[in-house]
Amino acid sequence: MMHKLRLIAFIVLATFVASSCVQNKNPQQAQSVAQANQNVFEVTEVVQGSTYTYLNVKENMADRWVAVSHQEAKPGDVFYYDEALQMTNFHSKEIDRTFDVIYFVNQISKTPLSQQQPMAAEMPAGHSGKVAAKSAEVELEKAEGELTVSEVFAKRAEFSNQEFEIRGVVVKVNEQVMGKNWVHIQDGTSSEGKFDLTITTQAEVEVGDEVTFKGKLTLEKDFGAGYFYDVIMEDGTLVTKKVS
């Protein structure tokens, strides 16, 4: 009888060990499955602004606010998302509301984003609320010797050390992200495929305005959460504006 009990105990122990080995055979695969299940939330409330859609969501049993580019959403929707940029004490002018903590999300989808083509991580593109123009859509005549966007990119190191003025057409505006307006300008010129200059400013402009900004370049600026700029003009001063 004792021999039979020992045999049964051995079989149970062997089965447990074998099961454990199978479950932990591929830890990378287990980690991938866990990651695939992350970054998903359910919408409980929707507040629409003109530029952003503000979502009160439930994620991992926690309630939080999320902001995405303006789009349709309703309570009960479940979305997957990619990178999220946390901001504290953020005041939205468009809905006149201050959020203690809010997360700006680059992209949301009702299907896992891993099944889609990856998108470049660029803050204005990710948080765009107004129509962007392609380089071919901008034609701006400039005087001889007037600085162009292509020259700014080609001589970026030089312009990071000195203040300069640049004139262009506004093709995209993201209002009050991290307490600043994010403005894209183009003038129809390009350097190695770079034709769109991003400027952060407190000035208020609209898509289609012809503007002149003054400032210095910041090179290789990393805002975190995957948002990186090779070239950006920070805290630009608006010199002139011609409304479209």
Side-chain angles (χ1 to χ4, degrees):
M1 183 67 175
M2 183 65 67
H3 176 73
K4 185 179 292 186
L5 290 175
R6 289 177 179 174
L7 179 60
I8 293 173
F10 175 78
I11 292 173
V12 171
L13 178 61
T15 302
F16 174 78
V17 171
S19 175
S20 299
C21 290
V22 170
Q23 291 177 356
N24 296 302
K25 185 176 180 180
N26 191 346
Q28 287 185 332
Q29 183 179 15
Q31 183 178 8
S32 297
V33 171
Q35 290 176 345
N37 292 329
Q38 293 178 356
N39 293 352
V40 59
F41 57 68
E42 180 179 354
V43 178
T44 58
E45 181 184 354
V46 180
V47 179
Q48 292 287 10
S50 58
T51 302
Y52 296 103
T53 297
Y54 301 86
L55 305 174
N56 192 3
V57 307
K58 184 175 291 294
E59 181 179 5
N60 296 329
M61 304 303 294
D63 293 320
R64 63 187 64 185
W65 280 97
V66 168
V68 298
S69 58
H70 185 82
Q71 56 197 277
E72 292 300 320
K74 63 182 183 299
D77 283 347
V78 175
F79 290 107
Y80 296 87
Y81 68 94
D82 52 7
E83 300 287 354
L85 180 66
Q86 179 180 335
M87 297 180 63
T88 58
N89 298 320
F90 173 78
H91 180 73
S92 169
K93 289 183 178 179
E94 59 182 356
I95 64 173
D96 191 24
R97 180 169 179 174
T98 300
F99 297 90
D100 293 335
V101 178
I102 191 169
Y103 296 84
F104 280 83
V105 172
N106 184 57
Q107 182 186 12
I108 61 174
S109 171
K110 291 187 176 180
T111 58
L113 295 174
S114 59
Q115 299 176 6
Q116 305 176 13
Q117 292 294 325
M119 296 180 64
E122 182 186 0
M123 185 176 291
H127 296 142
S128 60
K130 301 187 179 181
V131 177
K134 298 179 180 178
S135 60
E137 295 177 348
V138 175
E139 295 182 2
L140 183 63
E141 291 188 8
K142 290 200 170 184
E144 184 177 353
E146 185 178 1
L147 187 64
T148 64
V149 169
S150 63
E151 290 176 307
V152 170
F153 280 104
K155 302 176 182 178
R156 62 187 71 180
E158 177 181 341
F159 290 116
S160 68
N161 297 317
Q162 66 178 14
E163 195 171 62
F164 65 95
E165 293 186 6
I166 181 74
R167 182 167 62 96
V169 176
V170 178
V171 298
K172 188 185 299 184
V173 179
N174 297 90
E175 298 172 347
Q176 290 304 303
V177 177
M178 298 176 65
K180 303 175 183 179
N181 296 326
W182 298 69
V183 178
H184 284 245
I185 67 168
Q186 299 176 16
D187 63 6
T189 66
S190 65
S191 174
E192 298 180 345
K194 304 290 186 179
F195 53 81
D196 187 297
L197 179 62
T198 303
I199 301 167
T200 65
T201 181
Q202 295 298 329
E204 297 183 358
V205 297
E206 298 289 341
V207 172
D209 290 350
E210 181 183 313
V211 296
T212 301
F213 276 96
K214 178 172 63 176
K216 295 181 181 180
L217 290 186
T218 300
L219 306 183
E220 299 182 351
K221 179 69 174 185
D222 188 355
F223 290 95
Y227 300 113
F228 178 86
Y229 288 84
D230 289 327
V231 174
I232 186 172
M233 178 188 284
E234 294 189 276
D235 301 320
T237 300
L238 181 64
V239 179
T240 64
K241 178 174 71 171
K242 186 184 297 184
V243 178
S244 62

